[in-house]
Amino acid sequence: NAGVMQNPRHLVRRRGQEARLRCSPMKGHSHVYWYRQLPEEGLKFMVYLQKENIIDESGMPKERFSAEFPKEGPSILRIQQVVRGDSAAYFCASSPPNAGSNEQFFGPGTRLTVL
Amino acid sequence: GIQVEQSPPDLILQEGANSTLRCNFSDSVNNLQWFHQNPWGQLINLFYIPSGTKQNGRLSATTVATERYSLLYISSSQTTDSGVYFCAVATGNQFYFGTGTSLTVIP
């Protein structure tokens, strides 16, 4: 009974490169959330997606960041032209589709380092 | 957004001691969860507790939704309890995290 899977666990990019972070939700979950954690801080909401739909992207930076959750395959958080300030841990969470519980389950995170 | 305050920010305990962590939030919520972030950075779900009281082994939690606070109790602490404890609340689907309580349990 696998939990939320994220890969890669660690990602190193040089300034200007692209970073692609993947998240596979728990089996049976159709809601995916992305959060960012800067060093010594709590997590900050970025985006909430369901299959093929972005429901709430109020926490996403306006430029360079995008997210998708296609009909097939994992959710992708994409960061274009990375800068040093993008260095952080990026966590994905998923929750079940039923309205009775919106408990979120978190993956192990992807630690992005921008050189 | 909702403001979430956790106290104390830092806590050092002798192994075997008990502790209470507090989470205050500024608005009505429909979801409250406690997490433990271990030294490797992984977030472990402790409790889903928008209201009421729950217990799981040495840990228990109580949320008084009408007074907008939640408490996490750790009894007979162990060194493996070290890490950062986060409270997170939501009104819809977006979680708001507190800044955490950093717990160090010394043998």
Side-chain angles (χ1 to χ4, degrees):
Chain A
N1 195 12
V4 178
M5 310 284 284
Q6 289 188 248
N7 68 80
R9 296 291 304 277
H10 300 273
L11 182 61
V12 179
R13 286 287 178 266
R14 297 190 181 280
R15 281 180 298 171
Q17 292 184 317
E18 177 180 288
R20 291 171 71 87
L21 288 62
R22 296 175 188 78
C23 168
S24 296
M26 285 181 71
K27 188 175 181 181
H29 286 192
S30 57
H31 299 191
V32 166
Y33 314 80
W34 286 93
Y35 294 84
R36 176 165 63 176
Q37 184 179 32
L38 296 171
E40 309 299 325
E41 293 187 9
L43 281 71
K44 297 286 196 303
F45 169 81
M46 299 181 74
V47 62
Y48 161 45
L49 310 104
Q50 296 177 17
K51 287 281 188 183
E52 300 185 283
N53 279 307
I54 297 174
I55 308 301
D56 180 352
E57 57 181 346
S58 58
M60 286 280 270
K62 299 298 180 198
E63 297 177 349
R64 302 186 298 107
F65 284 71
S66 62
E68 62 176 4
F69 188 16
K71 188 176 180 180
E72 300 291 335
S75 175
I76 307 286
L77 179 68
R78 181 181 177 207
I79 311 173
Q80 296 178 287
Q81 299 176 323
V82 295
V83 301
R84 289 214 174 109
D86 297 332
S87 295
Y90 292 82
F91 288 91
C92 167
S94 72
S95 66
N98 54 300
S101 168
N102 54 356
E103 182 176 4
Q104 295 188 17
F105 296 83
F106 282 75
T110 293
R111 276 142 191 87
L112 172 66
T113 301
V114 179
L115 302 177
Chain B
I2 301 175
Q3 304 302 311
V4 183
E5 294 182 355
Q6 290 187 245
S7 60
D10 300 281
L11 187 58
I12 300 174
L13 293 177
Q14 199 77 40
E15 197 170 25
N18 304 328
S19 63
T20 301
L21 282 57
R22 187 176 180 102
C23 172
N24 293 333
F25 45 96
S26 62
D27 206 344
S28 299
V29 299
N30 63 4
N31 183 359
L32 188 147
Q33 292 183 237
W34 283 96
F35 298 91
H36 174 212
Q37 188 166 40
N38 64 24
W40 295 271
Q42 293 181 308
L43 275 171
I44 312 298
N45 281 37
L46 297 178
F47 293 102
Y48 169 72
I49 188 165
S51 63
T53 297
K54 289 186 178 179
Q55 179 154 9
N56 184 5
R58 296 182 296 104
L59 302 182
S60 63
T62 295
T63 296
V64 184
T66 53
E67 297 186 22
R68 299 179 184 170
Y69 73 88
S70 183
L71 302 173
L72 177 69
Y73 306 96
I74 305 174
S75 64
S76 304
S77 57
Q78 300 176 358
T79 56
T80 51
D81 295 333
S82 295
V84 182
Y85 289 79
F86 287 106
C87 166
V89 304
T91 54
N93 293 292
Q94 178 181 151
F95 255 143
Y96 295 90
F97 277 76
T99 51
T101 292
S102 178
L103 173 64
T104 302
V105 181
I106 54 178

